Protein backbone atom coordinates (compact mmCIF):
# COMPACT_ATOMS: atom_id res chain seq x y z
CA UNK A 1 0.00 0.00 0.00
CA UNK A 2 1.26 3.51 -0.84
CA UNK A 3 2.41 5.75 1.98
CA UNK A 4 0.73 8.70 0.22
CA UNK A 5 -2.97 9.50 -0.20
CA UNK A 6 -4.52 9.56 -3.64
CA UNK A 7 -4.99 13.10 -5.00
CA UNK A 8 -7.36 14.80 -7.44
CA UNK A 9 -7.25 18.20 -9.19
CA UNK A 10 -9.74 20.81 -8.01
CA UNK A 11 -10.55 24.22 -9.50
CA UNK A 12 -11.43 27.07 -7.19
CA UNK A 13 -13.74 29.64 -8.78
CA UNK A 14 -12.13 32.96 -7.86
CA UNK A 15 -13.18 36.54 -8.49
CA UNK A 16 -12.80 37.42 -12.16
CA UNK A 17 -13.42 41.18 -12.35
CA UNK A 18 -10.53 42.28 -14.56
CA UNK A 19 -9.14 45.20 -16.57
CA UNK A 20 -8.29 43.94 -20.05
CA UNK A 21 -5.74 46.62 -21.01
CA UNK A 22 -3.92 47.88 -17.89
CA UNK A 23 -1.75 50.31 -19.87
CA UNK A 24 -4.63 52.11 -21.60
CA UNK A 25 -6.74 52.04 -18.44
CA UNK A 26 -3.96 53.57 -16.35
CA UNK A 27 -3.28 56.29 -18.92
CA UNK A 28 -6.96 57.20 -18.94
CA UNK A 29 -7.18 57.14 -15.13
CA UNK A 30 -4.18 59.42 -14.79
CA UNK A 31 -5.34 61.86 -17.47
CA UNK A 32 -8.81 62.17 -15.92
CA UNK A 33 -7.42 62.75 -12.42
CA UNK A 34 -6.14 65.97 -10.85
CA UNK A 35 -2.54 64.76 -11.13
CA UNK A 36 -1.59 66.15 -14.60
CA UNK A 37 -2.53 69.69 -13.53
CA UNK A 38 0.11 69.45 -10.81
CA UNK A 39 2.91 68.51 -13.21
CA UNK A 40 4.97 71.19 -14.93
CA UNK A 41 7.60 71.09 -17.63
CA UNK A 42 11.03 70.00 -16.48
CA UNK A 43 9.79 68.60 -13.15
CA UNK A 44 11.89 65.69 -11.88
CA UNK A 45 9.45 63.08 -10.54
CA UNK A 46 10.58 60.12 -8.47
CA UNK A 47 8.30 57.13 -9.09
CA UNK A 48 8.57 54.53 -6.31
CA UNK A 49 8.09 50.87 -7.19
CA UNK A 50 8.39 47.89 -4.85
CA UNK A 51 9.51 44.28 -4.82
CA UNK A 52 6.13 42.50 -5.00
CA UNK A 53 5.22 40.37 -8.00
CA UNK A 54 2.27 42.45 -9.23
CA UNK A 55 0.91 40.89 -12.41
CA UNK A 56 0.36 44.17 -14.30
CA UNK A 57 3.27 46.15 -12.85
CA UNK A 58 5.12 46.65 -16.15
CA UNK A 59 2.23 48.18 -18.16
CA UNK A 60 1.01 50.27 -15.19
CA UNK A 61 4.47 51.72 -14.51
CA UNK A 62 5.00 52.31 -18.23
CA UNK A 63 1.69 54.19 -18.42
CA UNK A 64 2.66 56.28 -15.40
CA UNK A 65 6.02 57.19 -16.90
CA UNK A 66 4.50 57.95 -20.32
CA UNK A 67 1.84 60.20 -18.78
CA UNK A 68 4.37 62.15 -16.75
CA UNK A 69 6.62 62.51 -19.81
CA UNK A 70 3.69 63.66 -21.98
CA UNK A 71 3.14 66.52 -19.52
CA UNK A 72 6.77 67.61 -19.66
CA UNK A 73 8.09 65.90 -16.54
CA UNK A 74 11.36 63.97 -16.23
CA UNK A 75 10.39 60.80 -14.34
CA UNK A 76 12.84 58.31 -12.86
CA UNK A 77 12.30 55.09 -10.94
CA UNK A 78 13.27 54.54 -7.32
CA UNK A 79 13.20 51.15 -5.57
CA UNK A 80 10.73 51.62 -2.71
CA UNK A 81 11.24 48.34 -0.91
CA UNK A 82 12.82 49.00 2.48
CA UNK A 83 15.57 46.43 3.01
CA UNK A 84 14.57 44.04 0.24
CA UNK A 85 16.95 43.12 -2.56
CA UNK A 86 19.51 42.09 0.03
CA UNK A 87 19.55 45.59 1.47
CA UNK A 88 21.89 46.81 -1.30
CA UNK A 89 21.47 49.35 -4.10
CA UNK A 90 22.56 46.80 -6.72
CA UNK A 91 20.17 44.19 -5.35
CA UNK A 92 17.21 46.56 -5.43
CA UNK A 93 18.05 47.65 -8.96
CA UNK A 94 18.15 43.97 -9.96
CA UNK A 95 14.67 43.43 -8.52
CA UNK A 96 13.22 46.19 -10.72
CA UNK A 97 15.06 44.86 -13.78
CA UNK A 98 13.61 41.42 -13.02
CA UNK A 99 10.11 42.86 -13.47
CA UNK A 100 11.04 44.40 -16.83
CA UNK A 101 11.13 47.95 -15.45
CA UNK A 102 14.64 48.64 -16.65
CA UNK A 103 13.47 48.67 -20.26
CA UNK A 104 10.97 51.53 -20.02
CA UNK A 105 13.30 54.39 -20.92
CA UNK A 106 13.38 55.93 -17.45
CA UNK A 107 16.56 55.80 -15.36
CA UNK A 108 16.62 53.82 -12.12
CA UNK A 109 18.18 55.74 -9.24
CA UNK A 110 18.98 53.10 -6.64
CA UNK A 111 20.73 54.03 -3.40
CA UNK A 112 20.32 52.77 0.14
CA UNK A 113 20.97 56.21 1.65
CA UNK A 114 17.94 57.67 3.41
CA UNK A 115 17.74 61.17 4.85
CA UNK A 116 15.78 62.15 7.93
CA UNK A 117 12.99 64.48 6.84
CA UNK A 118 11.31 65.07 10.21
CA UNK A 119 9.86 63.48 13.32
CA UNK A 120 6.40 62.36 14.31
CA UNK A 121 4.51 63.92 17.23
CA UNK A 122 5.76 61.01 19.34
CA UNK A 123 9.38 61.68 18.42
CA UNK A 124 9.91 58.91 15.86
CA UNK A 125 12.41 59.89 13.13
CA UNK A 126 11.11 59.62 9.57
CA UNK A 127 13.46 58.67 6.74
CA UNK A 128 13.13 58.94 2.98
CA UNK A 129 15.12 57.84 -0.05
CA UNK A 130 17.77 60.47 -0.84
CA UNK A 131 17.08 60.65 -4.58
CA UNK A 132 13.32 60.91 -4.06
CA UNK A 133 13.68 63.51 -1.31
CA UNK A 134 15.67 65.71 -3.69
CA UNK A 135 13.14 65.38 -6.55
CA UNK A 136 10.58 68.02 -7.48
CA UNK A 137 7.76 65.54 -6.84
CA UNK A 138 7.11 61.96 -5.74
CA UNK A 139 4.67 59.29 -6.93
CA UNK A 140 4.28 55.63 -5.98
CA UNK A 141 2.77 52.61 -7.73
CA UNK A 142 1.66 49.66 -5.64
CA UNK A 143 -0.90 46.95 -5.00
CA UNK A 144 -3.41 47.38 -2.16
CA UNK A 145 -3.88 44.22 -0.10
CA UNK A 146 -4.21 42.99 3.48
CA UNK A 147 -0.96 42.99 5.43
CA UNK A 148 0.46 39.76 6.79
CA UNK A 149 1.08 40.89 10.38
CA UNK A 150 -1.39 43.60 11.43
CA UNK A 151 -4.88 45.01 10.82
CA UNK A 152 -5.39 48.76 10.30
CA UNK A 153 -6.95 51.34 7.95
CA UNK A 154 -3.77 51.37 5.86
CA UNK A 155 -1.96 48.09 5.40
CA UNK A 156 -0.01 47.03 2.29
CA UNK A 157 -0.39 49.75 -0.29
CA UNK A 158 0.58 53.27 -1.30
CA UNK A 159 0.84 54.70 2.22
CA UNK A 160 3.08 51.84 3.32
CA UNK A 161 5.29 52.34 0.29
CA UNK A 162 5.66 56.07 1.00
CA UNK A 163 6.43 55.47 4.66
CA UNK A 164 8.27 52.15 4.80
CA UNK A 165 9.42 51.36 1.26
CA UNK A 166 10.80 54.83 0.61
CA UNK A 167 12.38 54.82 4.07
CA UNK A 168 14.89 52.23 2.87
CA UNK A 169 16.47 49.88 5.40
CA UNK A 170 16.90 52.56 8.07
CA UNK A 171 13.29 53.71 7.91
CA UNK A 172 11.85 50.20 7.74
CA UNK A 173 13.83 49.10 10.79
CA UNK A 174 12.78 52.21 12.73
CA UNK A 175 9.07 51.84 12.01
CA UNK A 176 8.99 48.13 12.81
CA UNK A 177 10.78 48.83 16.09
CA UNK A 178 8.15 51.46 17.01
CA UNK A 179 5.28 49.17 15.98
CA UNK A 180 4.47 49.12 12.29
CA UNK A 181 0.67 49.42 12.59
CA UNK A 182 0.84 52.80 14.33
CA UNK A 183 4.15 53.95 12.87
CA UNK A 184 2.99 53.64 9.26
CA UNK A 185 0.32 56.40 9.23
CA UNK A 186 2.38 58.57 11.61
CA UNK A 187 5.36 58.44 9.25
CA UNK A 188 3.00 58.98 6.30
CA UNK A 189 1.77 62.21 7.84
CA UNK A 190 5.33 63.53 8.07
CA UNK A 191 6.08 62.49 4.49
CA UNK A 192 2.95 64.23 3.20
CA UNK A 193 3.60 67.39 5.18
CA UNK A 194 7.27 67.62 4.26
CA UNK A 195 7.69 66.43 0.67
CA UNK A 196 5.92 67.26 -2.62
CA UNK A 197 3.94 64.02 -2.95
CA UNK A 198 1.77 64.05 -6.07
CA UNK A 199 -0.06 60.82 -5.28
CA UNK A 200 0.05 57.32 -6.68
CA UNK A 201 -1.47 54.56 -8.74
CA UNK A 202 -3.33 51.94 -6.69
CA UNK A 203 -3.90 48.40 -7.95
CA UNK A 204 -6.30 45.82 -6.54
CA UNK A 205 -5.90 42.33 -7.97
CA UNK A 206 -8.59 39.73 -8.49
CA UNK A 207 -8.29 36.12 -7.39
CA UNK A 208 -6.37 35.30 -10.58
CA UNK A 209 -3.61 37.85 -9.93
CA UNK A 210 -5.05 40.19 -12.59
CA UNK A 211 -5.90 43.88 -12.08
CA UNK A 212 -9.50 44.26 -10.89
CA UNK A 213 -9.16 47.95 -9.97
CA UNK A 214 -6.64 50.62 -11.02
CA UNK A 215 -7.06 54.12 -9.63
CA UNK A 216 -4.97 57.28 -9.85
CA UNK A 217 -5.04 59.01 -6.48
CA UNK A 218 -3.83 62.44 -5.41
CA UNK A 219 -1.93 62.75 -2.13
CA UNK A 220 -5.10 63.78 -0.30
CA UNK A 221 -7.01 60.83 -1.71
CA UNK A 222 -4.47 58.38 -0.32
CA UNK A 223 -5.86 59.05 3.14
CA UNK A 224 -9.52 58.71 2.22
CA UNK A 225 -9.65 56.27 -0.69
CA UNK A 226 -6.98 53.70 0.17
CA UNK A 227 -8.91 52.25 3.16
CA UNK A 228 -11.89 51.65 0.85
CA UNK A 229 -9.65 49.90 -1.67
CA UNK A 230 -8.25 47.74 1.14
CA UNK A 231 -11.77 46.57 1.95
CA UNK A 232 -12.32 45.77 -1.72
CA UNK A 233 -9.05 43.83 -1.79
CA UNK A 234 -10.38 41.60 0.99
CA UNK A 235 -13.26 40.54 -1.29
CA UNK A 236 -10.78 39.29 -3.91
CA UNK A 237 -8.31 37.58 -1.56
CA UNK A 238 -8.14 33.84 -2.35
CA UNK A 239 -7.97 31.32 0.48
CA UNK A 240 -7.94 27.54 0.88
CA UNK A 241 -11.49 26.79 2.10
CA UNK A 242 -10.83 23.23 3.27
CA UNK A 243 -9.60 23.55 6.86
CA UNK A 244 -8.88 21.70 9.00
CA UNK A 245 -5.91 20.24 7.13
CA UNK A 246 -3.37 17.70 8.26
CA UNK A 247 -0.88 18.98 5.69
CA UNK A 248 -0.58 21.90 3.27
CA UNK A 249 2.15 21.62 0.63
CA UNK A 250 3.27 24.87 -1.03
CA UNK A 251 5.33 24.18 -4.11
CA UNK A 252 7.05 27.57 -3.80
CA UNK A 253 7.40 30.70 -1.70
CA UNK A 254 9.06 34.00 -2.59
CA UNK A 255 9.34 37.70 -1.98
CA UNK A 256 7.47 38.34 -5.22
CA UNK A 257 4.54 36.32 -3.87
CA UNK A 258 4.30 38.04 -0.48
CA UNK A 259 6.40 40.26 1.74
CA UNK A 260 6.65 37.28 4.07
CA UNK A 261 7.32 34.74 1.31
CA UNK A 262 3.88 33.25 1.76
CA UNK A 263 0.69 35.16 2.54
CA UNK A 264 -0.04 34.58 6.21
CA UNK A 265 -3.65 35.59 5.59
CA UNK A 266 -3.83 32.24 3.75
CA UNK A 267 -1.71 29.95 5.97
CA UNK A 268 -2.33 31.66 9.31
CA UNK A 269 -0.92 34.79 10.95
CA UNK A 270 -0.36 32.69 14.07
CA UNK A 271 2.73 31.27 12.39
CA UNK A 272 4.39 34.66 12.78
CA UNK A 273 2.85 36.20 15.86
CA UNK A 274 1.01 33.44 17.75
CA UNK A 275 -2.65 33.58 18.73
CA UNK A 276 -5.52 31.36 17.61
CA UNK A 277 -4.57 28.62 15.16
CA UNK A 278 -6.71 29.85 12.27
CA UNK A 279 -6.95 28.42 9.73
CA UNK A 280 -6.32 25.01 11.27
CA UNK A 281 -3.40 23.74 9.17
CA UNK A 282 -1.47 21.27 11.31
CA UNK A 283 1.67 20.98 9.17
CA UNK A 284 3.18 23.01 6.35
CA UNK A 285 5.71 21.77 3.80
CA UNK A 286 7.42 24.17 1.38
CA UNK A 287 9.28 22.82 -1.64
CA UNK A 288 10.99 25.63 -3.58
CA UNK A 289 11.92 29.34 -3.83
CA UNK A 290 10.90 31.56 -6.76
CA UNK A 291 13.63 33.00 -9.02
CA UNK A 292 12.28 36.54 -8.52
CA UNK A 293 12.87 36.23 -4.78
CA UNK A 294 16.58 36.60 -5.62
CA UNK A 295 17.54 34.22 -2.84
CA UNK A 296 15.51 35.98 -0.15
CA UNK A 297 14.01 33.06 1.75
CA UNK A 298 11.92 35.06 4.21
CA UNK A 299 8.99 32.93 5.28
CA UNK A 300 10.86 29.62 5.20
CA UNK A 301 10.73 29.65 8.99
CA UNK A 302 6.94 29.29 8.92
CA UNK A 303 7.32 25.88 7.27
CA UNK A 304 7.65 22.70 9.27
CA UNK A 305 9.66 20.76 6.68
CA UNK A 306 11.59 21.62 3.50
CA UNK A 307 13.87 19.76 1.05
CA UNK A 308 17.62 20.36 0.98
CA UNK A 309 17.41 21.93 -2.50
CA UNK A 310 15.29 24.78 -1.13
CA UNK A 311 17.64 25.36 1.79
CA UNK A 312 20.58 25.52 -0.63
CA UNK A 313 18.86 28.21 -2.75
CA UNK A 314 18.49 30.67 0.12
CA UNK A 315 20.77 33.70 0.33
CA UNK A 316 20.95 33.75 4.10
CA UNK A 317 22.57 37.23 4.51
CA UNK A 318 19.82 38.75 2.34
CA UNK A 319 17.17 36.83 4.27
CA UNK A 320 18.59 37.87 7.64
CA UNK A 321 18.73 41.52 6.52
CA UNK A 322 15.05 41.49 5.60
CA UNK A 323 13.97 39.63 8.74
CA UNK A 324 16.05 41.71 11.12
CA UNK A 325 14.85 44.95 9.55
CA UNK A 326 11.20 43.92 9.93
CA UNK A 327 11.73 42.30 13.37
CA UNK A 328 10.43 39.08 11.78
CA UNK A 329 12.69 36.55 13.49
CA UNK A 330 10.42 33.58 12.86
CA UNK A 331 10.61 34.15 9.11
CA UNK A 332 14.27 33.12 8.90
CA UNK A 333 14.29 30.06 11.15
CA UNK A 334 15.42 26.83 9.52
CA UNK A 335 12.80 24.04 9.39
CA UNK A 336 13.51 20.31 9.48
CA UNK A 337 15.32 19.63 6.20
CA UNK A 338 14.96 16.40 4.23
CA UNK A 339 17.04 15.09 1.29
CA UNK A 340 14.37 15.58 -1.40
CA UNK A 341 10.75 16.51 -2.04
CA UNK A 342 9.47 12.96 -1.69
CA UNK A 343 10.98 12.48 1.75
CA UNK A 344 9.79 15.98 2.73
CA UNK A 345 6.16 15.14 2.02
CA UNK A 346 6.23 11.68 3.55
CA UNK A 347 7.83 13.09 6.71
CA UNK A 348 5.22 15.85 6.98
CA UNK A 349 2.25 13.51 6.62
CA UNK A 350 0.66 12.59 9.96
CA UNK A 351 0.52 9.07 11.26
CA UNK A 352 -2.80 8.30 9.62
CA UNK A 353 -4.00 5.84 7.06
CA UNK A 354 -3.26 7.55 3.70
CA UNK A 355 -6.96 7.47 2.80
CA UNK A 356 -7.72 9.55 5.91
CA UNK A 357 -5.08 12.24 5.48
CA UNK A 358 -6.48 15.71 4.71
CA UNK A 359 -3.82 17.16 2.38
CA UNK A 360 -3.80 20.05 -0.11
CA UNK A 361 -1.05 20.87 -2.60
CA UNK A 362 -0.97 24.45 -3.99
CA UNK A 363 1.51 26.25 -6.20
CA UNK A 364 1.82 29.18 -3.78
CA UNK A 365 -0.41 31.44 -1.67
CA UNK A 366 -1.04 33.81 -4.59
CA UNK A 367 -2.08 31.23 -7.18
CA UNK A 368 -4.93 29.25 -5.62
CA UNK A 369 -7.14 28.60 -8.62
CA UNK A 370 -5.91 25.03 -9.07
CA UNK A 371 -5.42 22.80 -6.05
CA UNK A 372 -4.61 19.13 -5.64
CA UNK A 373 -6.53 17.58 -2.77
CA UNK A 374 -6.42 14.21 -1.09
CA UNK A 375 -9.19 11.64 -1.22
CA UNK A 376 -10.37 12.46 2.31
CA UNK A 377 -11.26 16.02 1.23
CA UNK A 378 -13.44 15.22 -1.77
CA UNK A 379 -16.65 15.22 0.26
CA UNK A 380 -15.77 18.74 1.48
CA UNK A 381 -15.05 19.80 -2.11
CA UNK A 382 -18.46 18.56 -3.22
CA UNK A 383 -20.15 20.69 -0.54
CA UNK A 384 -18.19 23.89 -1.32
CA UNK A 385 -19.88 25.99 -4.04
CA UNK A 386 -16.60 27.65 -5.11
CA UNK A 387 -14.78 24.32 -5.58
CA UNK A 388 -15.06 21.88 -8.47
CA UNK A 389 -13.29 18.55 -8.92
CA UNK A 390 -11.88 18.55 -12.46
CA UNK A 391 -10.11 15.19 -12.62
CA UNK A 392 -9.96 11.69 -11.22
CA UNK A 393 -8.03 10.48 -8.21
CA UNK A 394 -4.50 9.31 -8.95
CA UNK A 395 -1.36 8.42 -7.03
CA UNK A 396 1.16 11.08 -6.00
CA UNK A 397 4.04 10.83 -8.48
CA UNK A 398 7.74 11.62 -8.17
CA UNK A 399 10.59 11.50 -10.67
CA UNK A 400 13.83 9.57 -10.22
CA UNK A 401 15.27 12.43 -8.13
CA UNK A 402 12.32 12.50 -5.72
CA UNK A 403 10.75 15.64 -7.22
CA UNK A 404 6.98 16.05 -7.32
CA UNK A 405 5.23 15.59 -10.67
CA UNK A 406 1.75 17.05 -11.08
Amino acid sequence: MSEFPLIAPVRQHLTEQAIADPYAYTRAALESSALPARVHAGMAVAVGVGSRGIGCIQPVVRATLDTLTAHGARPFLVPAMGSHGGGTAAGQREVLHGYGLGDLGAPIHSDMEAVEIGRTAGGMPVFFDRFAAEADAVMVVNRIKPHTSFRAKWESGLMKMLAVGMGKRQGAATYHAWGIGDALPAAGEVVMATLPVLGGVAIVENGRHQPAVIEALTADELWTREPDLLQEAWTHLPTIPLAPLDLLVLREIGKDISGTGMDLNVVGMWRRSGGPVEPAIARLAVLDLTPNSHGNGIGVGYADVIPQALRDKIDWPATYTNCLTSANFNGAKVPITLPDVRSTIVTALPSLEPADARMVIARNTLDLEELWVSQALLADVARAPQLEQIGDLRPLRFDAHGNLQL
Side-chain angles (χ1 to χ4, degrees):
M1 184 177 69
S2 172
E3 54 197 333
F4 300 103
L6 298 176
I7 59 170
V10 168
R11 177 177 293 118
Q12 181 170 194
H13 297 285
L14 305 172
T15 59
E16 298 181 355
Q17 173 186 329
I19 294 169
D21 187 341
Y23 176 84
Y25 195 96
T26 305
R27 284 297 304 264
L30 284 164
E31 291 293 357
S32 62
S33 74
L35 292 171
R38 304 180 186 187
V39 177
H40 59 74
M43 173 185 280
V45 181
V47 179
V49 184
S51 58
R52 303 296 187 266
I54 303 168
C56 63
I57 192 63
Q58 203 264 8
V60 171
V61 172
R62 180 163 59 92
T64 303
L65 297 173
D66 287 353
T67 303
L68 289 169
T69 301
H71 288 272
R74 295 180 294 109
F76 62 92
L77 296 177
V78 172
M81 56 186 78
S83 65
H84 309 168
T88 68
Q92 296 199 346
R93 179 187 296 272
E94 183 182 353
V95 171
L96 295 193
H97 276 279
Y99 293 136
L101 303 182
D103 305 320
L104 302 182
I108 297 175
H109 293 175
S110 182
D111 193 314
M112 292 307 295
E113 182 181 350
V115 295
E116 183 176 334
I117 61 170
R119 296 198 168 226
T120 66
M124 182 182 72
V126 177
F127 299 92
F128 209 77
D129 178 273
R130 174 176 66 89
F131 284 116
E134 295 172 352
D136 297 316
V138 176
M139 285 189 66
V140 286
V141 179
N142 201 14
R143 175 176 59 204
I144 311 294
K145 70 179 293 292
H147 199 271
T148 57
S149 66
F150 68 90
R151 301 275 79 92
K153 290 182 68 175
W154 301 273
E155 296 184 17
S156 288
L158 301 180
M159 191 64 67
K160 182 173 182 284
M161 178 172 280
L162 280 169
V164 183
M166 284 290 201
K168 315 304 286 190
R169 180 177 180 179
Q170 191 173 6
T174 299
Y175 310 146
H176 280 94
W178 280 69
I180 187 64
D182 294 327
L184 189 158
E189 286 183 2
V190 175
V191 171
M192 295 288 197
T194 308
L195 298 177
V197 177
L198 286 176
V201 179
I203 303 162
V204 174
E205 291 185 329
N206 66 18
R208 292 180 168 179
H209 196 31
Q210 302 164 328
V213 176
I214 298 175
E215 290 192 11
L217 306 178
T218 63
D220 292 339
E221 290 170 332
L222 295 186
W223 291 108
T224 57
R225 181 61 181 150
E226 184 171 331
D228 295 334
L229 292 174
L230 174 60
Q231 293 306 308
E232 183 157 0
W234 273 109
T235 69
H236 293 285
L237 184 72
T239 62
I240 301 173
L242 289 169
L245 297 180
D246 298 312
L247 173 62
L248 171 62
V249 179
L250 295 178
R251 294 166 62 192
E252 62 184 6
I253 61 171
K255 196 69 186 177
D256 50 326
I257 293 169
S258 172
T260 46
M262 62 183 82
D263 192 337
L264 297 177
N265 293 298
V266 175
V267 302
M269 291 175 65
W270 59 271
R271 294 181 180 275
R272 174 173 180 173
S273 52
V277 179
E278 299 171 350
I281 300 172
R283 301 180 187 182
L284 176 59
V286 173
L287 308 183
D288 204 354
L289 186 67
T290 64
N292 277 336
S293 199
H294 300 277
N296 187 337
I298 188 171
V300 71
Y302 306 132
D304 298 301
V305 289
I306 61 171
Q308 186 65 48
L310 167 56
R311 185 168 174 172
D312 293 342
K313 281 187 177 183
I314 295 175
D315 180 338
W316 290 104
T319 303
Y320 292 158
T321 295
N322 192 178
C323 289
L324 290 171
T325 301
S326 59
N328 181 5
F329 298 99
N330 286 345
K333 292 181 178 179
V334 182
I336 293 173
T337 306
L338 284 303
D340 55 29
V341 168
R342 189 183 192 282
S343 58
T344 296
I345 296 177
V346 75
T347 300
L349 279 167
S351 300
L352 297 170
E353 289 295 324
D356 297 328
R358 296 172 61 87
M359 179 181 73
V360 170
I361 302 173
R363 179 181 176 186
N364 55 54
T365 56
L366 192 62
D367 185 355
L368 296 175
E369 185 170 16
E370 182 175 291
L371 306 170
W372 288 84
V373 310
S374 62
Q375 182 176 2
L377 286 167
L378 290 184
D380 293 39
V381 169
R383 288 191 294 267
Q386 74 270 44
L387 299 178
E388 174 190 6
Q389 183 178 345
I390 56 174
D392 296 330
L393 283 167
R394 70 163 178 80
L396 205 57
R397 297 169 184 158
F398 301 89
D399 64 18
H401 303 287
N403 296 313
L404 183 62
Q405 292 185 313
L406 291 177

